[in-house]
Amino acid sequence: MAQCVQSVQEFIQDSFVPLVAALCSEEAERLTRKNNLSFAELVRPFCRLTSEVHMRDPNNQLHIIKNLKIAVNNIITHPPQPGAIRKLLHDVVSVSQPAEGLVANVITAGDYDLNISATTPWFESYRECFLQSMPASDHEFLNHYVACMLVVSSSEPDPVEQFLKLSQEQHRIQHSSEYSYPKWFIPNTLKYYVLLHDVSTGEEQRADSIYEEMKQRYGTQGCYLLKINSRVSNRGADEQIPDPWSQYLQKNTIQNQDSYEDYTAVSNKNTDHLISDGIDSEIKDGLSNNFKTHPLQLDHPSGSLDSTDYMKASTSLQDSKKSNSGTPHGACLTLTDHDRIRQFIQEFTFRGLLPHIEKTIRQLNDQLISRKGLSRSLFSATKKWFSGSKVPEKSINELKNTSGLLYPPEAPELQIRKMADLCFLVQHYELAYSCYHTAKKDFLNDQAMLYAAGALEMAAVSAFLQPGAPRPYPAHYMETAIQTYRDICKNMVLAERCVLLSAEILKSQSKYSEAAALLIRLTSEDSDLRSALLLEQAAHCFINMKSPMVRKFAFHMILAGHRFSKAGQKKHALRCYCQAMQVYKGKGWSLAEDHINFTIGRQSFTLRQLDNAVSAFRHILINDSKQPPAQQGAFLREYLYVYKNATQLSPDGPLPQLPLPYINSSATRVFFGHDRRPAEGEKQAATHVSLDQEYDSESSQQWKELEEQVVSVINKGTIPSNFQPTQFCLNRYSDNSKFPLAVIEEPITVEVSFRNPLKVPLLLTDLSLLWKFQPKDFSAKHDGETKEQGTCDEDMVGTEAIAEFLINSEETKVARLKLFPHQTGELHILGVVYNLGSVQGAVSLDGIDPSIGLQTGKFVSNGLSVRGRQDLEIQGPRLNNTKEEKTSIKYGPDRRLDPIITEEMPLLEVFFINFPTGLLCGEIRKAYVEFVNVSKCPLTALKVVSKHPEFFTFGGNTAALTPLSPSASENCSAYKTVVTDPTSVRTALLSSASSADFGVGTGGSPEVIQVPLPDAVLLPGASVQLPMWLRGPDEEGVHEINFLFYYESIKKHSKMCHRVLRHTAVICTSRSLHIRATVCRSNALGDEEGRGDNMLLFVDVENINTSETGVKEFHIVQVSSNSKHWKLQKSVNISGDKDTKLASRERAKLCFKAVRCKNSEENYTFADIVFGNEQIISSASPCADFFFQSLSSEFKRTHVQSHTHASQRAVKQSFDETVRLIQKCSEVDLNIVVLWKAYVVEDSKQLILEGQHHVALNTVGKEAFSFPQKQELPETVLLKFFRPENTPVPARPTPEQLSNLIKTSLHYPESFNHSFHQKSLCLVPVTLLLSNCSQAVVDVMIDLRHKPTSSEALEIHGSFTWLGQTQYKLQLKGQEVYSLQLKACFVHTGVYNLGTPRVFAKLVDQVTLFETSQQNSMPALIIINNI
């Protein structure tokens, strides 16, 4: 049970107090009425004695009474109606509510932290009122009147006569058979005569003389002079006198029934002879029915009050409360008068009441002892002496049915009970217990069950209240009493009193479990109010246990709330459900939560607490409901209905927040710009960005890098500090830390992700964005005022609304909402606004989902929809950079919904015409690009940037020579061609071109390509078509190639400097040719022109195309070289033209002679060797474009590799130069372009495709490929842990490189005839040619003493001797050719190898660090013949 203000002893003592009746003359009542009080009300605040009282028990022992309270009531001569008592109790409970701002008691039990009101004042008020309003009954005397005050005014003509009349009236009420009510304790009731004197108007002398007369007549202890109204009403109003009456008058007790006039009918007309107090004379016998049934019985219709009556009742009671609280009480009384009244009550109790009670106890005791006559146990013989006066005995069945015997008033058993009650009232609990115990036995012997239950009940209470606790509390007495009252006597009122007393006693002994069981046992269907209160107290018992039973508390609170609701106590029902909700909330008991929230919503709505009702229904809808669709539909309709009512109260208020559908704020996407145009015929629009594309962080990073690259080129290598990468679509993955930029007059699309958690469809109508806009002119400095969305702002920002948006059950659906900014400024998108409704007949009975087949625009709303909003609140990314951010949880901003609207900018659209989707590797195809300016301002500085610049070209300066329009070039070659003279076949046709013409080598980034717009400007509405050549990437497969088009406005803007447009081309390439090439030094030292530098080039071409692509055969139509230093001279192939055709998997070998060219450093020399009858000019677009682009990409690739070793190059400069010179000897800078045609059969048509492959030759003797070979991954090796040496190892030239410094060649006759008979020695002149391949001066040493060491070599070639000098030391200048004359000596015929001289070389001024043997040329065989 909840905590109470009083202790259990105080509660029981105050529940059973001596009752004193008051009979007043009309004049006396008038005097008290000056203070707006009746006489009984006047004395009520002073009825508790402030000091201890002494009296003697029958054994003449002194007994002390502490804190005694008496009750003074006006006489009412008929019991109240049960309906009126029920009404009163109902009102008492409904008026008592938890105090505003009361600090709740926080109880922590396990995982629960519960806020529970520690006290329940409504229960205490109910209990007090219930006990006071209990009707007096014959089986007990506790609420019978012990005494009667007769009150007369001193101003009456004959007060003594008036006293006599009142005395007779009291005697008539008590002893006449006409009145069965009220009940009196003993026949000889104490009469106490009170003379009331009004000090302000009455004569004090007269009052004193009358009082003297009264003392002589009634004795000094039987009368009293009470002086009141000392205060004159017109005295200073500023004097504040306390009002002790208000707290008593607010408790509308049954004796003071001002507020029940409306509810009771006056039935007894004979009221003239009834003398009662002034209040009761106004309502006379308003409560006229006999008290036949107990007050809380609802068996008959008159006892049931519907909720409308309750409403009326509580309002009328509140009105009466207002009138009570508004009327001042005791206005004519001073503090002295207060003391006089207090003194009067003390005098009455000390001198009148207690002596009377003491005397009565003695009389009863003596009477019982004298009647018994024997000195046995105090009351053992009572039955024997008084058995004759009983009614005849009955059978046990009859007894059980009639609740036992009915005793006459003078029966000794009742005398014992009477004595026990008197002792109990004056706190003599030991004597009371002994009397109750004796009486109990007698009643049980007689089977008088009602009397026995009463004795058991009071015996248990007396035992508990005995000082010093000599015996434990006999709870089983109470159990028996309750059972008897309830089951045998069918008297629920008395059973309820028992439970209230016993539960309070058990609570004081911390026996909460027993108390709860007791309280729950008395809940029944006959009274909802009683059941509700008891269940609530039982719940408090469960929570107050040593180990709190939280779920039992919650369950019983729910039961109490349900019963409060049935009893019409809506506020208390709501409170109970709210307290229980704390336990069920968030524990996954969704159905229980739904039930509680639904009830809270209903009760709150009834009490017009619409906000609470909306909140409760909101919870039902937003929790993941396990309810069936029909129930969810009902919840939704109820919610909409409540919501509509709530919004109607404040129609002009702000739009309320709606709970449905869910919005996944972080999934909100914002798109800036127009929707992409679809492809039209051959025209294919740039892919750009759209909301339909999935976000890809990798590609997003690529686009950012491309944009940074082009901005860096525009700004001469640096990126401006205010650079902000263009983001067209903002989402949860994009960088939203900066305010995005949007352009005036271009739409902003916000994609909002809605989710319907219910199993019924939701219909949103008139769905649009909610925004705030602050106009700003970025060119000027002044700012405008902020505008909220509301009146006439379509001029600033146009808002697009979706008329109907249906979200099916448990569906996630996105809505795309648009805004059209018409002014520059700052826009803040706040949320969405819409009407929420449900679809009529949304829940079908046959199990088929009704939302299937619903078409847009055909939804039938059930007419119930509410307008509201939902905010889009997006949490930014978690910050994790600084130490402080890492240790705390901080989030950065997310500004995707706060765009800045900038000034007008140009807008470019790009279309691709004849753009292929499939190419052969290396295939060249010509397409066209159309650029359209769809804005109102001109654009300039159009550039395109791509990570794959080798894929496309707009052509160099020579592009004008190719066909201009798509139609003109239909059957033409993509190349620039010239018809050749048949005689010139296989010899090189030369031309030259500068790399600057093709945008290579000018220091810019090769990825950024200027688009050659005419006049470099595209005017508003203008369009231009430009040719674009494409070359299939060398690697087969699917390629995604990103183009970023960059452009600017002619006017410079502060916010937005440039714009970009994206396009992703997807190309599928299939295999074509694979080319391998090697270059080696020619043995022939001199060429036709007499220069000593020439090389042989071997080209190996293989058709690796698979036949699925329909390629029949490839023709090699031309091989071109381009280099600054070398050129192809002629083809040295032996066979005819046929070798140039390659069917599937065929391979051709081509051989060419290359010579040094005399060209300048600037220009590249292009040499074309044509195999057909048309020369493709390789120095023109597009052949040269793709060559130069492949060159730059090759350079970039090798440059990256060389960079990795740069750290190891930090050695001496001279050392580096030496190495470089040696390495240069074996380097060549020769690039080969193989041009081909492929014959394709497609749909029985033959097509001719063209293409080119590039091979870059860098090193003599090293094989180069048209496509870099994939390196095989090395096998995994064990990890070695060691500290790396910091000293860099100097790069040494390889022996192979060193051996290329000097090229040697022997000139001699192939065969030599000699007559050995004539001369035994044969001398042959041999010339050794030495050519310095490097640019530096080289020291050369020739050693002729070298002998082949292997015996095999001797056997084959035989031995010979060089004559003359065996060692020569020479110095050769750069590129010098030196001829040395030698003589070989042979002694007999045979085949000899003259290639034995060893040549050593080193650079001048260098130590022999790099001295190495130079490579020998091929075996130089000579045949010596004998003649």
Side-chain angles (χ1 to χ4, degrees):
M1 290 173 74
Q3 297 169 16
C4 294
V5 178
Q6 296 176 303
S7 70
V8 61
Q9 285 82 1
E10 289 171 341
F11 157 63
I12 295 173
Q13 283 172 18
D14 286 0
S15 301
F16 302 102
V17 295
L19 289 187
V20 179
L23 261 181
C24 302
S25 68
E26 284 187 25
E27 185 60 27
E29 194 60 49
R30 190 183 62 76
L31 289 186
T32 60
R33 265 283 159 238
K34 284 185 179 182
N35 296 292
N36 295 313
L37 298 164
S38 69
F39 179 75
E41 288 169 348
L42 180 73
V43 299
R44 189 167 298 152
F46 310 101
C47 282
R48 188 181 293 282
L49 300 188
T50 51
S51 56
E52 292 182 354
V53 192
H54 296 228
M55 65 174 280
R56 294 194 176 273
D57 64 8
N59 297 330
N60 214 24
Q61 296 292 316
L62 195 66
H63 171 62
I64 299 169
I65 306 170
K66 293 179 183 175
N67 208 20
L68 180 66
K69 180 184 171 188
I70 64 169
V72 180
N73 295 327
N74 297 314
I75 291 180
I76 297 176
T77 56
H78 30 260
Q81 287 180 327
I85 290 181
R86 270 196 296 277
K87 188 75 208 65
L88 169 70
L89 292 173
H90 178 276
D91 289 350
V92 162
V93 173
S94 67
V95 165
S96 179
Q97 296 292 337
E100 290 292 327
L102 180 75
V103 179
N105 190 23
V106 178
I107 292 178
T108 304
D111 311 345
Y112 301 94
D113 286 324
L114 308 178
N115 282 333
I116 297 165
S117 54
T119 58
T120 47
W122 48 92
F123 173 68
E124 291 175 53
S125 300
Y126 170 85
R127 193 171 62 180
E128 183 184 340
C129 186
F130 169 77
L131 293 170
Q132 283 182 5
S133 63
M134 280 193 70
S137 63
D138 291 329
H139 80 287
E140 64 181 18
F141 304 94
L142 289 163
N143 47 5
H144 291 198
Y145 285 109
V146 182
C148 181
M149 288 182 184
L150 307 174
V151 187
V152 171
S153 168
S154 62
S155 59
E156 296 203 28
D158 191 353
V160 178
E161 177 66 29
Q162 193 63 39
F163 275 128
L164 198 60
K165 278 186 186 174
L166 290 178
S167 178
Q168 288 168 358
E169 181 61 32
Q170 188 277 330
H171 187 272
R172 190 165 63 82
I173 290 170
Q174 180 173 353
H175 296 291
S176 162
S177 59
E178 188 182 338
Y179 297 104
S180 62
Y181 200 83
K183 307 279 185 190
W184 301 88
F185 213 103
I186 46 176
N188 184 18
T189 301
L190 168 69
K191 293 188 182 69
Y192 196 76
Y193 300 89
V194 181
L195 184 64
L196 207 55
H197 175 63
D198 189 328
V199 176
S200 60
T201 57
E203 298 175 24
E204 196 161 334
Q205 207 172 357
R206 181 168 186 263
D208 289 342
S209 64
I210 296 167
Y211 180 51
E212 287 299 323
E213 190 182 337
M214 285 166 62
K215 279 199 280 190
Q216 289 173 7
R217 185 183 285 265
Y218 305 120
T220 53
Q221 300 199 345
C223 58
Y224 195 83
L225 170 62
L226 177 59
K227 297 179 180 179
I228 59 166
N229 296 355
S230 304
R231 193 178 183 197
V232 183
S233 55
N234 60 4
R235 267 174 63 188
D238 56 341
E239 191 182 346
Q240 289 294 317
I241 299 290
D243 179 2
W245 292 275
S246 54
Q247 57 175 319
Y248 292 97
L249 295 178
Q250 278 183 13
K251 297 173 182 174
N252 275 273
T253 56
I254 201 75
Q255 284 80 12
N256 174 19
Q257 300 188 34
D258 292 12
S259 53
Y260 299 104
E261 297 171 31
D262 301 340
Y263 303 96
T264 53
V266 177
S267 57
N268 185 2
K269 299 285 187 287
N270 307 322
T271 54
D272 301 335
H273 55 277
L274 177 76
I275 299 167
S276 65
D277 62 12
I279 299 178
D280 295 325
S281 67
E282 289 168 25
I283 65 165
K284 291 294 190 235
D285 45 3
L287 308 168
S288 60
N289 278 2
N290 284 330
F291 198 38
K292 290 175 183 170
T293 56
H294 61 81
L296 304 182
Q297 198 164 355
L298 293 174
D299 297 338
H300 48 82
S302 65
S304 67
L305 291 156
D306 64 9
S307 57
T308 52
D309 290 341
Y310 283 142
M311 283 298 197
K312 281 187 214 158
S314 56
T315 46
S316 71
L317 187 63
Q318 276 153 13
D319 293 344
S320 71
K321 257 185 79 175
K322 281 176 196 160
S323 65
N324 274 342
S325 58
T327 316
H329 302 295
C332 300
L333 301 175
T334 61
L335 289 175
T336 314
D337 291 335
H338 290 197
D339 292 338
R340 284 174 182 155
I341 300 169
R342 194 175 288 111
Q343 185 65 35
F344 156 64
I345 293 294
Q346 288 214 339
E347 283 293 318
F348 164 70
T349 313
F350 287 6
R351 297 175 182 275
L353 184 63
L354 287 179
H356 174 69
I357 291 175
E358 187 180 326
K359 188 176 79 177
T360 310
I361 291 173
R362 282 180 188 280
Q363 282 174 358
L364 288 168
N365 190 39
D366 295 345
Q367 190 180 358
L368 291 167
I369 289 171
S370 64
R371 285 191 184 178
K372 191 172 56 175
L374 296 166
S375 59
R376 280 184 294 165
S377 164
L378 189 58
F379 304 109
S380 57
T382 48
K383 187 179 168 192
K384 175 182 158 190
W385 292 108
F386 296 104
S387 60
S389 59
K390 282 185 213 159
V391 293
E393 287 194 13
K394 302 173 183 179
S395 70
I396 288 176
N397 287 339
E398 283 179 296
L399 284 173
K400 282 182 182 166
N401 291 340
T402 58
S403 307
L405 300 166
L406 289 171
Y407 292 98
E410 65 279 4
E413 288 87 350
L414 288 191
Q415 303 307 313
I416 299 173
R417 170 71 206 233
K418 197 174 282 186
M419 180 176 163
D421 284 352
L422 267 180
C423 293
F424 188 87
L425 290 175
V426 292
Q427 302 176 13
H428 201 320
Y429 299 119
E430 289 175 42
L431 186 53
Y433 175 76
S434 120
C435 293
Y436 284 133
H437 200 267
T438 308
K440 172 209 50 158
K441 288 179 183 173
D442 290 343
F443 292 141
L444 283 172
N445 288 338
D446 291 342
Q447 290 286 303
M449 299 315 290
L450 180 63
Y451 295 88
L456 280 167
E457 175 188 4
M458 295 317 293
V461 176
S462 303
F464 171 73
L465 290 174
Q466 280 181 41
R471 52 177 64 81
Y473 168 62
H476 58 287
Y477 280 15
M478 276 293 194
E479 295 280 338
T480 312
I482 294 166
Q483 203 172 346
T484 308
Y485 281 143
R486 194 183 63 191
D487 299 339
I488 297 174
C489 308
K490 308 291 185 201
N491 192 328
M492 291 302 283
V493 177
L494 292 168
E496 184 178 349
R497 184 181 70 184
C498 261
V499 166
L500 294 176
L501 295 171
S502 184
E504 196 63 37
I505 292 167
L506 290 168
K507 182 189 89 173
S508 71
Q509 297 176 337
S510 296
K511 295 180 179 175
Y512 289 108
S513 182
E514 292 88 336
L518 199 63
L519 291 161
I520 293 166
R521 198 178 308 153
L522 206 70
T523 56
S524 61
E525 290 304 313
D526 61 341
S527 169
D528 289 314
L529 182 62
R530 179 188 72 227
S531 300
L533 288 160
L534 297 184
L535 283 165
E536 185 182 13
Q537 291 307 307
H540 279 282
C541 287
F542 289 124
I543 203 72
N544 285 322
M545 286 181 176
K546 199 170 183 181
S547 53
M549 302 173 81
V550 182
R551 289 199 292 274
K552 275 203 169 185
F553 159 78
F555 180 64
H556 285 86
M557 270 297 187
I558 296 288
L559 294 176
H562 176 62
R563 297 306 286 272
F564 270 131
S565 179
K566 282 178 74 177
Q569 297 282 352
K570 304 294 181 192
K571 284 186 182 174
H572 286 295
L574 181 57
R575 182 182 46 73
C576 286
Y577 274 100
C578 289
Q579 291 202 348
M581 188 60 182
Q582 298 176 81
V583 176
Y584 290 105
K585 199 173 186 177
K587 291 288 182 289
W589 297 8
S590 61
L591 295 178
E593 269 191 78
D594 287 353
H595 167 75
I596 296 169
N597 273 317
F598 184 70
T599 312
I600 288 174
R602 275 274 176 93
Q603 301 289 12
S604 300
F605 181 69
T606 312
L607 293 166
R608 306 306 291 166
Q609 297 176 7
L610 296 179
D611 289 347
N612 291 348
V614 166
S615 171
F617 281 115
R618 178 192 180 96
H619 277 296
I620 302 177
L621 296 173
I622 63 175
N623 289 340
D624 289 335
S625 176
K626 307 282 191 300
Q627 301 284 359
Q631 189 63 53
Q632 286 187 358
F635 283 161
L636 179 60
R637 285 192 297 277
E638 193 106 13
Y639 170 76
L640 294 173
Y641 177 70
V642 170
Y643 210 108
K644 210 167 182 66
N645 279 277
T647 47
Q648 281 168 357
L649 288 180
S650 54
D652 302 329
L655 274 177
Q657 295 280 346
L658 290 171
L660 289 174
Y662 290 178
I663 291 181
N664 182 358
S665 287
S666 66
T668 303
R669 299 197 297 164
V670 185
F671 178 72
F672 301 102
H674 297 278
D675 293 338
R676 183 173 156 259
R677 275 206 229 168
E680 304 166 10
E682 284 296 304
K683 274 191 183 184
Q684 177 195 341
T687 53
H688 198 44
V689 184
S690 78
L691 281 167
D692 299 322
Q693 295 167 0
E694 286 297 316
Y695 178 80
D696 176 10
S697 58
E698 202 176 320
S699 79
S700 156
Q701 183 61 26
Q702 281 177 12
W703 289 118
K704 184 183 170 190
E705 285 168 10
L706 287 173
E707 189 174 352
E708 282 175 356
Q709 204 168 357
V710 69
V711 168
S712 158
V713 168
I714 297 286
N715 290 281
K716 301 183 174 57
T718 57
I719 294 179
S721 57
N722 63 346
F723 168 69
Q724 192 173 337
T726 308
Q727 297 190 93
F728 296 99
C729 184
L730 301 177
N731 52 35
R732 69 176 84 178
Y733 307 110
S734 53
D735 175 14
N736 304 325
S737 56
K738 294 180 181 169
F739 292 101
L741 300 175
V743 178
I744 188 168
E745 302 297 349
E746 289 187 21
I748 298 169
T749 310
V750 180
E751 183 184 87
V752 185
S753 173
F754 291 106
R755 181 169 76 83
N756 177 8
L758 302 181
K759 298 185 179 79
V760 292
L762 295 175
L763 179 61
L764 311 186
T765 53
D766 197 13
L767 168 64
S768 62
L769 289 169
L770 199 61
W771 49 263
K772 187 169 76 176
F773 184 73
Q774 185 176 4
K776 277 192 179 180
D777 186 356
F778 293 114
S779 52
K781 291 292 174 201
H782 61 84
D783 297 342
E785 54 179 305
T786 306
K787 296 279 183 187
E788 293 276 351
Q789 181 175 2
T791 54
C792 68
D793 23 298
E794 288 295 315
D795 304 341
M796 292 190 176
V797 181
T799 309
E800 184 184 82
I802 297 175
E804 287 186 335
F805 187 75
L806 180 83
I807 313 173
N808 287 325
S809 60
E810 297 177 329
E811 181 189 19
T812 299
K813 191 173 179 183
V814 293
R816 290 180 184 168
L817 302 158
K818 286 188 180 174
L819 295 177
F820 300 92
H822 303 311
Q823 279 194 23
T824 58
E826 293 174 2
L827 178 65
H828 302 281
I829 298 163
L830 307 174
V832 288
V833 57
Y834 55 93
N835 297 321
L836 173 65
S838 57
V839 179
Q840 196 167 17
V843 180
S844 59
L845 298 175
D846 53 4
I848 298 166
D849 184 0
S851 57
I852 297 168
L854 280 173
Q855 297 299 315
T856 310
K858 296 181 182 171
F859 311 126
V860 184
S861 171
N862 55 12
L864 204 56
S865 71
V866 292
R867 186 128 186 105
R869 64 186 279 179
Q870 276 201 68
D871 291 340
L872 290 168
E873 292 168 352
I874 304 174
Q875 188 179 58
R878 170 126 184 234
L879 300 175
N880 201 23
N881 300 324
T882 64
K883 184 181 178 185
E884 186 190 350
E885 288 168 355
K886 284 176 181 173
T887 51
S888 60
I889 296 178
K890 286 188 175 179
Y891 293 93
D894 191 303
R895 308 201 192 279
R896 70 183 98 154
L897 295 174
D898 305 318
I900 292 171
I901 314 299
T902 65
E903 305 98 321
E904 200 170 30
M905 284 289 286
L907 185 61
L908 176 71
E909 284 192 355
V910 178
F911 297 96
F912 295 88
I913 304 160
N914 298 337
F915 202 88
T917 53
L919 291 171
L920 291 171
C921 292
E923 182 188 343
I924 305 287
R925 188 80 65 90
K926 189 174 186 182
Y928 286 82
V929 193
E930 184 174 15
F931 298 99
V932 187
N933 181 358
V934 292
S935 67
K936 293 178 182 171
C937 54
L939 67 86
T940 183
L942 178 57
K943 294 183 170 35
V944 60
V945 60
S946 173
K947 288 274 184 216
H948 301 277
E950 67 276 8
F951 169 67
F952 68 98
T953 178
F954 287 105
N957 300 340
T958 54
L961 301 170
T962 60
L964 279 177
S965 65
S967 54
S969 66
E970 223 168 283
N971 299 312
C972 294
S973 166
Y975 290 112
K976 179 186 174 188
T977 58
V978 187
V979 177
T980 54
D981 183 8
T983 57
S984 66
V985 171
R986 302 200 184 283
T987 56
L989 300 164
L990 300 183
S991 58
S992 71
S994 162
S995 60
D997 294 345
F998 297 93
V1000 179
T1002 52
S1005 168
E1007 286 93 346
V1008 180
I1009 295 163
Q1010 178 87 32
V1011 177
L1013 283 179
D1015 305 327
V1017 172
L1018 196 56
L1019 296 172
S1023 70
V1024 64
Q1025 276 188 0
L1026 295 176
M1028 180 191 230
W1029 288 271
L1030 308 169
R1031 179 175 178 271
D1034 287 319
E1035 193 176 356
E1036 70 164 330
V1038 177
H1039 301 267
E1040 274 196 6
I1041 294 162
N1042 292 336
F1043 297 90
L1044 186 77
F1045 294 94
Y1046 168 101
Y1047 56 98
E1048 297 174 5
S1049 172
I1050 285 182
K1051 282 195 297 183
K1052 291 286 174 238
H1053 291 313
S1054 56
K1055 290 283 177 193
M1056 193 181 271
C1057 304
H1058 68 271
R1059 299 193 84 175
V1060 294
L1061 175 73
R1062 300 174 181 177
H1063 175 63
T1064 302
V1066 180
I1067 300 284
C1068 180
T1069 55
S1070 46
R1071 293 194 286 188
S1072 55
L1073 298 178
H1074 183 248
I1075 297 168
R1076 287 185 288 187
T1078 45
V1079 64
C1080 56
R1081 298 195 188 280
S1082 166
N1083 263 341
L1085 274 176
D1087 55 11
E1088 286 84 347
E1089 297 170 14
R1091 294 205 49 211
D1093 236 359
N1094 51 26
M1095 291 191 293
L1096 287 178
L1097 174 68
F1098 298 96
V1099 180
D1100 193 350
V1101 184
E1102 185 184 358
N1103 175 1
I1104 56 169
N1105 180 261
T1106 48
S1107 53
E1108 289 100 47
T1109 49
V1111 179
K1112 210 164 67 171
E1113 60 185 9
F1114 285 90
H1115 286 219
I1116 310 296
V1117 292
Q1118 183 173 317
V1119 177
S1120 300
S1121 73
N1122 31 38
S1123 167
K1124 288 183 177 177
H1125 310 299
W1126 297 87
K1127 62 182 180 184
L1128 290 183
Q1129 194 183 38
K1130 60 181 180 182
S1131 166
V1132 292
N1133 267 31
I1134 316 299
S1135 58
D1137 294 350
K1138 292 176 185 173
D1139 287 351
T1140 58
K1141 291 182 185 173
L1142 294 174
S1144 182
R1145 289 292 175 192
E1146 283 188 347
R1147 181 187 286 194
K1149 271 190 185 294
L1150 305 171
C1151 184
F1152 303 95
K1153 183 177 180 184
V1155 294
R1156 270 193 192 275
C1157 54
K1158 306 165 185 166
N1159 236 341
S1160 68
E1161 286 294 310
E1162 292 307 312
N1163 283 7
Y1164 281 77
T1165 301
F1166 288 78
D1168 301 338
I1169 291 181
V1170 184
F1171 291 98
N1173 55 1
E1174 262 191 336
Q1175 177 199 358
I1176 293 168
I1177 299 174
S1178 57
S1179 60
S1181 289
C1183 180
D1185 294 85
F1186 289 119
F1187 157 66
F1188 281 119
Q1189 283 169 352
S1190 75
L1191 200 64
S1192 66
S1193 62
E1194 179 73 26
F1195 170 73
K1196 203 165 72 171
R1197 193 161 58 242
T1198 53
H1199 189 60
V1200 169
Q1201 289 169 356
S1202 66
H1203 252 292
T1204 56
H1205 306 299
S1207 62
Q1208 298 174 4
R1209 298 257 172 92
V1211 203
K1212 284 184 289 181
Q1213 191 67 34
S1214 62
F1215 186 87
D1216 260 2
E1217 284 174 14
T1218 310
V1219 172
R1220 189 77 203 93
L1221 279 168
I1222 293 171
Q1223 286 174 346
K1224 242 180 156 179
C1225 295
S1226 56
E1227 281 180 11
V1228 286
D1229 170 23
L1230 179 62
N1231 302 289
I1232 303 295
V1233 181
V1234 177
L1235 294 107
W1236 48 264
K1237 286 187 179 176
Y1239 291 85
V1240 179
V1241 179
E1242 198 175 88
D1243 303 334
S1244 70
K1245 273 190 203 168
Q1246 178 162 317
L1247 301 174
I1248 301 175
L1249 306 178
E1250 303 168 292
Q1252 65 189 58
H1253 279 78
H1254 311 118
V1255 184
L1257 291 155
N1258 298 320
T1259 313
V1260 174
K1262 190 174 179 187
E1263 198 169 26
F1265 303 92
S1266 61
F1267 181 65
Q1269 299 294 296
K1270 286 182 182 167
Q1271 293 182 345
E1272 288 185 12
L1273 290 171
E1275 289 182 22
T1276 52
V1277 291
L1278 289 172
L1279 287 173
K1280 290 179 183 170
F1281 294 94
F1282 62 90
R1283 182 174 294 160
E1285 293 289 333
N1286 288 334
T1287 52
V1289 180
R1292 291 181 66 92
T1294 61
E1296 190 185 349
Q1297 288 171 338
L1298 289 168
S1299 67
N1300 282 329
L1301 274 173
I1302 301 290
K1303 190 165 80 168
T1304 59
S1305 177
L1306 286 166
H1307 283 232
Y1308 56 90
E1310 282 183 21
S1311 66
F1312 193 83
N1313 298 327
H1314 177 71
S1315 174
F1316 282 97
H1317 303 295
Q1318 294 173 5
K1319 202 173 182 182
S1320 59
L1321 291 178
C1322 171
L1323 299 178
V1324 181
V1326 176
T1327 306
L1328 174 63
L1329 277 177
L1330 299 167
S1331 172
N1332 181 0
C1333 295
S1334 73
Q1335 303 288 334
V1337 180
V1338 178
D1339 283 343
V1340 183
M1341 191 187 84
I1342 300 113
D1343 184 5
L1344 301 177
R1345 292 171 302 179
H1346 171 63
K1347 295 278 185 288
T1349 50
S1350 68
S1351 55
E1352 189 186 342
L1354 285 171
E1355 282 171 25
I1356 298 171
H1357 306 301
S1359 181
F1360 72 96
T1361 314
W1362 294 101
L1363 293 182
Q1365 202 174 331
T1366 54
Q1367 251 191 358
Y1368 295 89
K1369 285 192 177 176
L1370 307 169
Q1371 198 173 66
L1372 296 184
K1373 294 191 178 72
Q1375 304 284 332
E1376 186 185 342
V1377 179
Y1378 184 82
S1379 172
L1380 187 64
Q1381 302 299 326
L1382 301 174
K1383 278 188 181 178
C1385 175
F1386 303 90
V1387 290
H1388 46 76
T1389 59
V1391 178
Y1392 295 89
N1393 178 14
L1394 294 178
T1396 60
R1398 287 182 66 186
V1399 180
F1400 296 90
K1402 71 178 180 65
L1403 297 180
V1404 176
D1405 304 327
Q1406 290 288 330
V1407 284
T1408 56
L1409 188 62
F1410 300 137
E1411 185 171 329
T1412 179
S1413 156
Q1414 297 302 295
Q1415 66 174 12
N1416 289 324
S1417 47
M1418 287 150 47
L1421 298 179
I1422 187 168
I1423 304 166
I1424 303 294
N1425 297 319
N1426 192 9
I1427 310 172

